[in-house]
């Protein structure tokens, strides 16, 4: 299932359940190996779903190839720079790699007189997905291209996008569960 709405609904349920102490204790007791495996799986699913949206655009266009390639390259290199900034080569960090973006907040390259802003910017710019999103959005909206080349012709009319089977298949809840939650505006197609 690659439904964005199902993930949103699950996130809302988890936020509500986090206020119950026993549920928070259970989630905290999940082994790190399972959390890492789940993180890898979710990252792969999100990446595959994001790249599957390229089917609406012209994949052979040099404009789109440059945008995708540059955003992927920068999303790997900029966070690596942020995570390595200020760490001496002989330091032995005993922190798992998935916690490194949070460690960067205190010693990252962005230093302003506002401490909170330093933490926010250093943390956000050390995440791969944030960099990929920012670079792709900026390049897609500034590099000239036709509507067909950009792939926005599919979503120009909301009803046309709702009728297209590929869009409905990707973003609907499984087994028509979306009809049960039709009363919620952002759930279901």
């Amino acid at each position: 299932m690659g439904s964005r709405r199902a993930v949103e609904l699950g996130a809302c349920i988890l936020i509500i359940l986090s206020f119950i102490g026993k549920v928070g204790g259970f989630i905290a007791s999940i082994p790190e190996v399972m959390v890492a495996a789940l993180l890898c799986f979710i990252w792969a699913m999100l990446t595959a779903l994001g790249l599957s949206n390229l089917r609406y655009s012209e994949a052979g266009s040099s404009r789109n190839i440059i945008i995708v390639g540059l955003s992927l390259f920068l999303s790997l290199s900029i966070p690596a720079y942020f995570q390595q900034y200020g760490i001496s080569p002989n330091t032995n960090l005993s922190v798992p790699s998935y916690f490194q973006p949070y460690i960067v907040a205190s010693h990252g390259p962005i230093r302003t007189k506002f401490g909170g802003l330093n933490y926010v910017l250093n943390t956000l710019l050390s995440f791969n997905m944030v960099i990929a999103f920012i670079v792709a959005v900026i390049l897609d909206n500034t590099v000239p291209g036709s509507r067909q080349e950009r792939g926005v012709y599919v979503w120009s009319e909301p009803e046309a996008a709702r009728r297209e089977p590929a869009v409905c298949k990707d973003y609907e809840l499984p087994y028509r569960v979306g009809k049960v939650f039709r009363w919620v505006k952002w759930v279901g197609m």
Side-chain angles (χ1 to χ4, degrees), residues 28-51:
S29 70
I30 297 173
E32 289 182 13
V33 174
M34 295 297 291
V35 172
L38 185 64
L39 180 67
C40 290
F41 180 74
I42 288 176
W43 191 87
M45 289 293 291
L46 285 173
T47 303
L49 185 64
L51 291 175

Side-chain angles (χ1 to χ4, degrees), residues 87-107:
I87 298 175
S88 63
N90 298 330
T91 303
N92 186 8
L93 285 177
S94 61
V95 177
S97 63
Y98 51 86
F99 282 141
Q100 275 192 346
Y102 303 106
I103 295 171
V104 169
S106 62
H107 66 75

Side-chain angles (χ1 to χ4, degrees), residues 76-142:
L76 293 174
S77 59
I78 292 176
Y81 169 73
F82 269 76
Q83 291 170 7
Q84 297 300 319
Y85 185 86
I87 298 175
S88 63
N90 298 330
T91 303
N92 186 8
L93 285 177
S94 61
V95 177
S97 63
Y98 51 86
F99 282 141
Q100 275 192 346
Y102 303 106
I103 295 171
V104 169
S106 62
H107 66 75
I110 295 179
R111 299 192 188 274
T112 64
K113 61 181 178 178
F114 304 107
L117 183 64
N118 292 342
Y119 282 109
V120 169
L121 290 178
N122 284 325
T123 303
L124 285 179
L125 293 176
S126 64
F127 284 120
N128 303 59
M129 287 186 174
V130 172
I131 298 296
F133 173 75
I134 291 171
V135 171
V137 165
I138 289 173
L139 289 177
D140 190 42
N141 289 312
T142 56

Side-chain angles (χ1 to χ4, degrees), residues 40-79:
C40 290
F41 180 74
I42 288 176
W43 191 87
M45 289 293 291
L46 285 173
T47 303
L49 185 64
L51 291 175
S52 73
N53 284 331
L54 292 176
R55 70 177 173 258
Y56 299 115
S57 63
E58 291 180 15
S61 165
S62 61
R63 171 196 183 273
N64 293 340
I65 291 172
I66 289 172
I67 290 173
V68 171
L70 197 60
S71 63
L72 287 176
F73 170 74
L74 291 177
S75 72
L76 293 174
S77 59
I78 292 176

